[in-house]
Amino acid sequence: NSSALVFLGNKDASTGTGDGTFKNPTRLTVLSQPIGVAVGRFRSGAGQPLDIAVVGATGVVGKEMVRILGEGRIPVGRLVPVASERSAGRTVSFGGSEIPVLRIDEPGTRPRWTEGVDLALFSAGADVSRRYAPVAADAGAVVIDNSSAFRMEKGVPLVVPEVNASAALDRP
């Protein structure tokens, strides 16, 4: 469901690593409010807590996403950290708790981590995004991906926070 996918791009190529990830992931804070509003309207209703998956939660950018979510700019009902088999079972700190990291590729038709997720933030590389972002979107999540996987895909808005953050608000 490409209508639920957003590509998070860079305004300045010098801040990107070439694969769509950020050298300075704190730039994601620029998107916090518009994405929170857009997702709130799309799924849970404005101001309601969101169930948020962070795919790549044990990587540098994923850890920063979790940290930023912990600042409270977006109301989080449930955090679902997701990573590769190698990182599954580790924990991430959030809201005073240690939350176990779920395996992205768990056996079955649809991975358990997608259940009830309102928003899925992807920072695990283009291959992972191509495979699992549509799965999360089909499960009903709004997907925000910062890899290059959907950069040029028709129907997937390219959102550069400093330029067109409001494009993320245009959800069907």
Side-chain angles (χ1 to χ4, degrees), residues 146-158:
N146 77 339
S147 77
S148 61
F150 305 102
R151 183 177 294 158
M152 302 302 288
E153 187 151 327
K154 189 174 186 145
V156 178
L158 170 60

Side-chain angles (χ1 to χ4, degrees), residues 43-90:
R43 296 281 293 159
S44 300
Q48 297 298 312
L50 302 171
D51 291 345
I52 301 176
V54 177
V55 178
T58 59
V60 174
V61 176
K63 287 177 183 177
E64 186 68 7
M65 288 176 172
V66 170
R67 187 191 69 74
I68 291 167
L69 289 170
E71 292 176 354
R73 292 185 182 127
I74 297 175
V76 179
R78 176 176 60 111
L79 180 74
V80 183
V82 181
S84 68
E85 179 180 7
R86 187 179 69 230
S87 296
R90 290 186 189 176

